[in-house]
Amino acid sequence: MTMLSEQEVLNNAFKDMLFHEQVLAGKLAELHKEITEPQIQKMFQGMEMAARTRQNMLTQKMSGFGIV
């Protein structure tokens, strides 16, 4: 059985988090388009923006750790 190095675990964790934020942002963008109630649209838009902000933060952290 091969153990992953600390760097491999870190790479996998960041890539997994980034993937989930991308999926979440996409789903929220779709919901924003489908909903007609302005307050709920605004809520989904805000949640999407938060997910995109987390994506950017993760991308910056990954770059700092040399994760491609």
Side-chain angles (χ1 to χ4, degrees):
M1 184 168 121
T2 304
M3 296 290 292
L4 295 177
S5 70
E6 187 174 310
Q7 184 66 36
E8 290 170 321
V9 171
L10 190 63
N11 288 354
N12 292 342
F14 270 102
K15 287 178 181 179
D16 191 47
M17 287 187 288
L18 183 61
F19 171 77
H20 287 288
E21 289 298 340
Q22 290 168 333
V23 170
L24 178 60
K27 286 181 180 180
L28 290 167
E30 287 298 315
L31 287 169
H32 173 250
K33 290 177 192 172
E34 293 175 18
I35 300 297
T36 57
E37 169 63 40
Q39 287 181 311
I40 297 174
Q41 268 186 330
K42 193 172 188 175
M43 180 185 73
F44 281 127
Q45 187 177 30
M47 293 168 66
E48 178 193 355
M49 288 172 48
R52 301 266 183 225
T53 299
R54 288 189 301 271
Q55 277 181 277
N56 290 335
M57 180 206 59
L58 285 168
T59 301
Q60 289 173 1
K61 293 285 185 187
M62 290 169 71
S63 178
F65 286 117
I67 301 169
V68 180

mmCIF file with all atom_site columns, all heavy atoms in Angstrom, residues 9-25:
data_model
loop_
_atom_site.group_PDB
_atom_site.id
_atom_site.type_symbol
_atom_site.label_atom_id
_atom_site.label_alt_id
_atom_site.label_comp_id
_atom_site.label_asym_id
_atom_site.label_entity_id
_atom_site.label_seq_id
_atom_site.pdbx_PDB_ins_code
_atom_site.Cartn_x
_atom_site.Cartn_y
_atom_site.Cartn_z
_atom_site.occupancy
_atom_site.B_iso_or_equiv
_atom_site.pdbx_formal_charge
_atom_site.auth_seq_id
_atom_site.auth_comp_id
_atom_site.auth_asym_id
_atom_site.auth_atom_id
_atom_site.pdbx_PDB_model_num
ATOM 1   N N   . VAL A 1 9  ? -1.540  14.992 -0.754  1.00 0.00 ? 9  VAL A N   1
ATOM 2   C CA  . VAL A 1 9  ? -2.781  15.163 0.005   1.00 0.00 ? 9  VAL A CA  1
ATOM 3   C C   . VAL A 1 9  ? -3.254  16.611 -0.124  1.00 0.00 ? 9  VAL A C   1
ATOM 4   O O   . VAL A 1 9  ? -4.442  16.878 -0.366  1.00 0.00 ? 9  VAL A O   1
ATOM 5   C CB  . VAL A 1 9  ? -2.597  14.768 1.493   1.00 0.00 ? 9  VAL A CB  1
ATOM 6   C CG1 . VAL A 1 9  ? -3.814  15.158 2.316   1.00 0.00 ? 9  VAL A CG1 1
ATOM 7   C CG2 . VAL A 1 9  ? -2.310  13.278 1.618   1.00 0.00 ? 9  VAL A CG2 1
ATOM 8   N N   . LEU A 1 10 ? -2.339  17.559 0.022   1.00 0.00 ? 10 LEU A N   1
ATOM 9   C CA  . LEU A 1 10 ? -2.650  18.977 -0.107  1.00 0.00 ? 10 LEU A CA  1
ATOM 10  C C   . LEU A 1 10 ? -3.179  19.288 -1.510  1.00 0.00 ? 10 LEU A C   1
ATOM 11  O O   . LEU A 1 10 ? -4.207  19.968 -1.669  1.00 0.00 ? 10 LEU A O   1
ATOM 12  C CB  . LEU A 1 10 ? -1.401  19.805 0.192   1.00 0.00 ? 10 LEU A CB  1
ATOM 13  C CG  . LEU A 1 10 ? -1.562  21.305 0.333   1.00 0.00 ? 10 LEU A CG  1
ATOM 14  C CD1 . LEU A 1 10 ? -2.461  21.654 1.509   1.00 0.00 ? 10 LEU A CD1 1
ATOM 15  C CD2 . LEU A 1 10 ? -0.202  21.950 0.504   1.00 0.00 ? 10 LEU A CD2 1
ATOM 16  N N   . ASN A 1 11 ? -2.500  18.783 -2.538  1.00 0.00 ? 11 ASN A N   1
ATOM 17  C CA  . ASN A 1 11 ? -2.940  18.983 -3.922  1.00 0.00 ? 11 ASN A CA  1
ATOM 18  C C   . ASN A 1 11 ? -4.362  18.466 -4.113  1.00 0.00 ? 11 ASN A C   1
ATOM 19  O O   . ASN A 1 11 ? -5.222  19.158 -4.678  1.00 0.00 ? 11 ASN A O   1
ATOM 20  C CB  . ASN A 1 11 ? -2.016  18.263 -4.900  1.00 0.00 ? 11 ASN A CB  1
ATOM 21  C CG  . ASN A 1 11 ? -0.662  18.900 -5.044  1.00 0.00 ? 11 ASN A CG  1
ATOM 22  O OD1 . ASN A 1 11 ? -0.389  19.959 -4.508  1.00 0.00 ? 11 ASN A OD1 1
ATOM 23  N ND2 . ASN A 1 11 ? 0.206   18.232 -5.778  1.00 0.00 ? 11 ASN A ND2 1
ATOM 24  N N   . ASN A 1 12 ? -4.602  17.257 -3.681  1.00 0.00 ? 12 ASN A N   1
ATOM 25  C CA  . ASN A 1 12 ? -5.915  16.637 -3.848  1.00 0.00 ? 12 ASN A CA  1
ATOM 26  C C   . ASN A 1 12 ? -6.997  17.413 -3.113  1.00 0.00 ? 12 ASN A C   1
ATOM 27  O O   . ASN A 1 12 ? -8.087  17.622 -3.647  1.00 0.00 ? 12 ASN A O   1
ATOM 28  C CB  . ASN A 1 12 ? -5.898  15.180 -3.378  1.00 0.00 ? 12 ASN A CB  1
ATOM 29  C CG  . ASN A 1 12 ? -5.065  14.285 -4.263  1.00 0.00 ? 12 ASN A CG  1
ATOM 30  O OD1 . ASN A 1 12 ? -4.746  14.625 -5.398  1.00 0.00 ? 12 ASN A OD1 1
ATOM 31  N ND2 . ASN A 1 12 ? -4.686  13.129 -3.738  1.00 0.00 ? 12 ASN A ND2 1
ATOM 32  N N   . ALA A 1 13 ? -6.712  17.842 -1.898  1.00 0.00 ? 13 ALA A N   1
ATOM 33  C CA  . ALA A 1 13 ? -7.699  18.567 -1.104  1.00 0.00 ? 13 ALA A CA  1
ATOM 34  C C   . ALA A 1 13 ? -8.062  19.895 -1.771  1.00 0.00 ? 13 ALA A C   1
ATOM 35  O O   . ALA A 1 13 ? -9.245  20.235 -1.898  1.00 0.00 ? 13 ALA A O   1
ATOM 36  C CB  . ALA A 1 13 ? -7.174  18.808 0.315   1.00 0.00 ? 13 ALA A CB  1
ATOM 37  N N   . PHE A 1 14 ? -7.057  20.647 -2.203  1.00 0.00 ? 14 PHE A N   1
ATOM 38  C CA  . PHE A 1 14 ? -7.333  21.936 -2.842  1.00 0.00 ? 14 PHE A CA  1
ATOM 39  C C   . PHE A 1 14 ? -8.086  21.751 -4.158  1.00 0.00 ? 14 PHE A C   1
ATOM 40  O O   . PHE A 1 14 ? -9.029  22.483 -4.450  1.00 0.00 ? 14 PHE A O   1
ATOM 41  C CB  . PHE A 1 14 ? -6.037  22.716 -3.087  1.00 0.00 ? 14 PHE A CB  1
ATOM 42  C CG  . PHE A 1 14 ? -5.663  23.609 -1.946  1.00 0.00 ? 14 PHE A CG  1
ATOM 43  C CD1 . PHE A 1 14 ? -4.671  23.230 -1.054  1.00 0.00 ? 14 PHE A CD1 1
ATOM 44  C CD2 . PHE A 1 14 ? -6.290  24.832 -1.753  1.00 0.00 ? 14 PHE A CD2 1
ATOM 45  C CE1 . PHE A 1 14 ? -4.314  24.051 -0.003  1.00 0.00 ? 14 PHE A CE1 1
ATOM 46  C CE2 . PHE A 1 14 ? -5.939  25.652 -0.698  1.00 0.00 ? 14 PHE A CE2 1
ATOM 47  C CZ  . PHE A 1 14 ? -4.952  25.267 0.181   1.00 0.00 ? 14 PHE A CZ  1
ATOM 48  N N   . LYS A 1 15 ? -7.680  20.782 -4.957  1.00 0.00 ? 15 LYS A N   1
ATOM 49  C CA  . LYS A 1 15 ? -8.354  20.553 -6.236  1.00 0.00 ? 15 LYS A CA  1
ATOM 50  C C   . LYS A 1 15 ? -9.800  20.125 -6.017  1.00 0.00 ? 15 LYS A C   1
ATOM 51  O O   . LYS A 1 15 ? -10.699 20.542 -6.754  1.00 0.00 ? 15 LYS A O   1
ATOM 52  C CB  . LYS A 1 15 ? -7.593  19.514 -7.062  1.00 0.00 ? 15 LYS A CB  1
ATOM 53  C CG  . LYS A 1 15 ? -6.300  20.077 -7.635  1.00 0.00 ? 15 LYS A CG  1
ATOM 54  C CD  . LYS A 1 15 ? -5.536  19.034 -8.418  1.00 0.00 ? 15 LYS A CD  1
ATOM 55  C CE  . LYS A 1 15 ? -4.233  19.623 -8.959  1.00 0.00 ? 15 LYS A CE  1
ATOM 56  N NZ  . LYS A 1 15 ? -3.454  18.636 -9.700  1.00 0.00 ? 15 LYS A NZ  1
ATOM 57  N N   . ASP A 1 16 ? -10.038 19.320 -4.990  1.00 0.00 ? 16 ASP A N   1
ATOM 58  C CA  . ASP A 1 16 ? -11.391 18.879 -4.668  1.00 0.00 ? 16 ASP A CA  1
ATOM 59  C C   . ASP A 1 16 ? -12.247 20.068 -4.213  1.00 0.00 ? 16 ASP A C   1
ATOM 60  O O   . ASP A 1 16 ? -13.382 20.229 -4.669  1.00 0.00 ? 16 ASP A O   1
ATOM 61  C CB  . ASP A 1 16 ? -11.343 17.801 -3.577  1.00 0.00 ? 16 ASP A CB  1
ATOM 62  C CG  . ASP A 1 16 ? -12.674 17.123 -3.383  1.00 0.00 ? 16 ASP A CG  1
ATOM 63  O OD1 . ASP A 1 16 ? -13.300 16.726 -4.388  1.00 0.00 ? 16 ASP A OD1 1
ATOM 64  O OD2 . ASP A 1 16 ? -13.105 16.987 -2.209  1.00 0.00 ? 16 ASP A OD2 1
ATOM 65  N N   . MET A 1 17 ? -11.699 20.905 -3.349  1.00 0.00 ? 17 MET A N   1
ATOM 66  C CA  . MET A 1 17 ? -12.434 22.089 -2.889  1.00 0.00 ? 17 MET A CA  1
ATOM 67  C C   . MET A 1 17 ? -12.756 23.013 -4.056  1.00 0.00 ? 17 MET A C   1
ATOM 68  O O   . MET A 1 17 ? -13.875 23.527 -4.168  1.00 0.00 ? 17 MET A O   1
ATOM 69  C CB  . MET A 1 17 ? -11.636 22.842 -1.825  1.00 0.00 ? 17 MET A CB  1
ATOM 70  C CG  . MET A 1 17 ? -11.598 22.148 -0.480  1.00 0.00 ? 17 MET A CG  1
ATOM 71  S SD  . MET A 1 17 ? -10.807 23.154 0.804   1.00 0.00 ? 17 MET A SD  1
ATOM 72  C CE  . MET A 1 17 ? -9.086  23.090 0.301   1.00 0.00 ? 17 MET A CE  1
ATOM 73  N N   . LEU A 1 18 ? -11.787 23.235 -4.935  1.00 0.00 ? 18 LEU A N   1
ATOM 74  C CA  . LEU A 1 18 ? -11.991 24.113 -6.083  1.00 0.00 ? 18 LEU A CA  1
ATOM 75  C C   . LEU A 1 18 ? -13.082 23.557 -6.996  1.00 0.00 ? 18 LEU A C   1
ATOM 76  O O   . LEU A 1 18 ? -13.971 24.290 -7.438  1.00 0.00 ? 18 LEU A O   1
ATOM 77  C CB  . LEU A 1 18 ? -10.684 24.293 -6.862  1.00 0.00 ? 18 LEU A CB  1
ATOM 78  C CG  . LEU A 1 18 ? -10.738 25.252 -8.046  1.00 0.00 ? 18 LEU A CG  1
ATOM 79  C CD1 . LEU A 1 18 ? -11.109 26.664 -7.615  1.00 0.00 ? 18 LEU A CD1 1
ATOM 80  C CD2 . LEU A 1 18 ? -9.394  25.262 -8.766  1.00 0.00 ? 18 LEU A CD2 1
ATOM 81  N N   . PHE A 1 19 ? -13.054 22.261 -7.243  1.00 0.00 ? 19 PHE A N   1
ATOM 82  C CA  . PHE A 1 19 ? -14.069 21.622 -8.075  1.00 0.00 ? 19 PHE A CA  1
ATOM 83  C C   . PHE A 1 19 ? -15.463 21.837 -7.492  1.00 0.00 ? 19 PHE A C   1
ATOM 84  O O   . PHE A 1 19 ? -16.404 22.210 -8.201  1.00 0.00 ? 19 PHE A O   1
ATOM 85  C CB  . PHE A 1 19 ? -13.776 20.120 -8.225  1.00 0.00 ? 19 PHE A CB  1
ATOM 86  C CG  . PHE A 1 19 ? -14.885 19.367 -8.894  1.00 0.00 ? 19 PHE A CG  1
ATOM 87  C CD1 . PHE A 1 19 ? -15.059 19.428 -10.271 1.00 0.00 ? 19 PHE A CD1 1
ATOM 88  C CD2 . PHE A 1 19 ? -15.760 18.595 -8.148  1.00 0.00 ? 19 PHE A CD2 1
ATOM 89  C CE1 . PHE A 1 19 ? -16.096 18.743 -10.891 1.00 0.00 ? 19 PHE A CE1 1
ATOM 90  C CE2 . PHE A 1 19 ? -16.799 17.908 -8.756  1.00 0.00 ? 19 PHE A CE2 1
ATOM 91  C CZ  . PHE A 1 19 ? -16.965 17.980 -10.130 1.00 0.00 ? 19 PHE A CZ  1
ATOM 92  N N   . HIS A 1 20 ? -15.604 21.632 -6.192  1.00 0.00 ? 20 HIS A N   1
ATOM 93  C CA  . HIS A 1 20 ? -16.911 21.775 -5.551  1.00 0.00 ? 20 HIS A CA  1
ATOM 94  C C   . HIS A 1 20 ? -17.408 23.222 -5.590  1.00 0.00 ? 20 HIS A C   1
ATOM 95  O O   . HIS A 1 20 ? -18.604 23.458 -5.780  1.00 0.00 ? 20 HIS A O   1
ATOM 96  C CB  . HIS A 1 20 ? -16.885 21.230 -4.126  1.00 0.00 ? 20 HIS A CB  1
ATOM 97  C CG  . HIS A 1 20 ? -16.841 19.739 -4.083  1.00 0.00 ? 20 HIS A CG  1
ATOM 98  N ND1 . HIS A 1 20 ? -17.916 18.937 -4.418  1.00 0.00 ? 20 HIS A ND1 1
ATOM 99  C CD2 . HIS A 1 20 ? -15.838 18.889 -3.784  1.00 0.00 ? 20 HIS A CD2 1
ATOM 100 C CE1 . HIS A 1 20 ? -17.584 17.665 -4.310  1.00 0.00 ? 20 HIS A CE1 1
ATOM 101 N NE2 . HIS A 1 20 ? -16.313 17.604 -3.932  1.00 0.00 ? 20 HIS A NE2 1
ATOM 102 N N   . GLU A 1 21 ? -16.520 24.173 -5.431  1.00 0.00 ? 21 GLU A N   1
ATOM 103 C CA  . GLU A 1 21 ? -16.915 25.583 -5.527  1.00 0.00 ? 21 GLU A CA  1
ATOM 104 C C   . GLU A 1 21 ? -17.350 25.924 -6.947  1.00 0.00 ? 21 GLU A C   1
ATOM 105 O O   . GLU A 1 21 ? -18.307 26.676 -7.152  1.00 0.00 ? 21 GLU A O   1
ATOM 106 C CB  . GLU A 1 21 ? -15.785 26.511 -5.087  1.00 0.00 ? 21 GLU A CB  1
ATOM 107 C CG  . GLU A 1 21 ? -15.502 26.489 -3.604  1.00 0.00 ? 21 GLU A CG  1
ATOM 108 C CD  . GLU A 1 21 ? -16.647 26.935 -2.712  1.00 0.00 ? 21 GLU A CD  1
ATOM 109 O OE1 . GLU A 1 21 ? -17.586 27.635 -3.177  1.00 0.00 ? 21 GLU A OE1 1
ATOM 110 O OE2 . GLU A 1 21 ? -16.626 26.592 -1.528  1.00 0.00 ? 21 GLU A OE2 1
ATOM 111 N N   . GLN A 1 22 ? -16.673 25.361 -7.947  1.00 0.00 ? 22 GLN A N   1
ATOM 112 C CA  . GLN A 1 22 ? -17.052 25.600 -9.344  1.00 0.00 ? 22 GLN A CA  1
ATOM 113 C C   . GLN A 1 22 ? -18.434 25.028 -9.635  1.00 0.00 ? 22 GLN A C   1
ATOM 114 O O   . GLN A 1 22 ? -19.266 25.682 -10.283 1.00 0.00 ? 22 GLN A O   1
ATOM 115 C CB  . GLN A 1 22 ? -16.012 24.997 -10.289 1.00 0.00 ? 22 GLN A CB  1
ATOM 116 C CG  . GLN A 1 22 ? -14.694 25.732 -10.264 1.00 0.00 ? 22 GLN A CG  1
ATOM 117 C CD  . GLN A 1 22 ? -13.575 24.981 -10.973 1.00 0.00 ? 22 GLN A CD  1
ATOM 118 O OE1 . GLN A 1 22 ? -13.583 23.758 -11.064 1.00 0.00 ? 22 GLN A OE1 1
ATOM 119 N NE2 . GLN A 1 22 ? -12.582 25.715 -11.447 1.00 0.00 ? 22 GLN A NE2 1
ATOM 120 N N   . VAL A 1 23 ? -18.688 23.822 -9.152  1.00 0.00 ? 23 VAL A N   1
ATOM 121 C CA  . VAL A 1 23 ? -19.996 23.189 -9.357  1.00 0.00 ? 23 VAL A CA  1
ATOM 122 C C   . VAL A 1 23 ? -21.079 24.003 -8.654  1.00 0.00 ? 23 VAL A C   1
ATOM 123 O O   . VAL A 1 23 ? -22.136 24.290 -9.228  1.00 0.00 ? 23 VAL A O   1
ATOM 124 C CB  . VAL A 1 23 ? -19.984 21.724 -8.855  1.00 0.00 ? 23 VAL A CB  1
ATOM 125 C CG1 . VAL A 1 23 ? -21.398 21.148 -8.837  1.00 0.00 ? 23 VAL A CG1 1
ATOM 126 C CG2 . VAL A 1 23 ? -19.073 20.872 -9.722  1.00 0.00 ? 23 VAL A CG2 1
ATOM 127 N N   . LEU A 1 24 ? -20.813 24.398 -7.409  1.00 0.00 ? 24 LEU A N   1
ATOM 128 C CA  . LEU A 1 24 ? -21.777 25.182 -6.643  1.00 0.00 ? 24 LEU A CA  1
ATOM 129 C C   . LEU A 1 24 ? -22.092 26.502 -7.345  1.00 0.00 ? 24 LEU A C   1
ATOM 130 O O   . LEU A 1 24 ? -23.264 26.873 -7.493  1.00 0.00 ? 24 LEU A O   1
ATOM 131 C CB  . LEU A 1 24 ? -21.248 25.446 -5.232  1.00 0.00 ? 24 LEU A CB  1
ATOM 132 C CG  . LEU A 1 24 ? -22.129 26.306 -4.332  1.00 0.00 ? 24 LEU A CG  1
ATOM 133 C CD1 . LEU A 1 24 ? -23.491 25.663 -4.117  1.00 0.00 ? 24 LEU A CD1 1
ATOM 134 C CD2 . LEU A 1 24 ? -21.427 26.568 -3.012  1.00 0.00 ? 24 LEU A CD2 1
ATOM 135 N N   . ALA A 1 25 ? -21.075 27.214 -7.787  1.00 0.00 ? 25 ALA A N   1
ATOM 136 C CA  . ALA A 1 25 ? -21.284 28.490 -8.465  1.00 0.00 ? 25 ALA A CA  1
ATOM 137 C C   . ALA A 1 25 ? -22.122 28.293 -9.728  1.00 0.00 ? 25 ALA A C   1
ATOM 138 O O   . ALA A 1 25 ? -23.024 29.093 -10.017 1.00 0.00 ? 25 ALA A O   1
ATOM 139 C CB  . ALA A 1 25 ? -19.942 29.138 -8.809  1.00 0.00 ? 25 ALA A CB  1
#
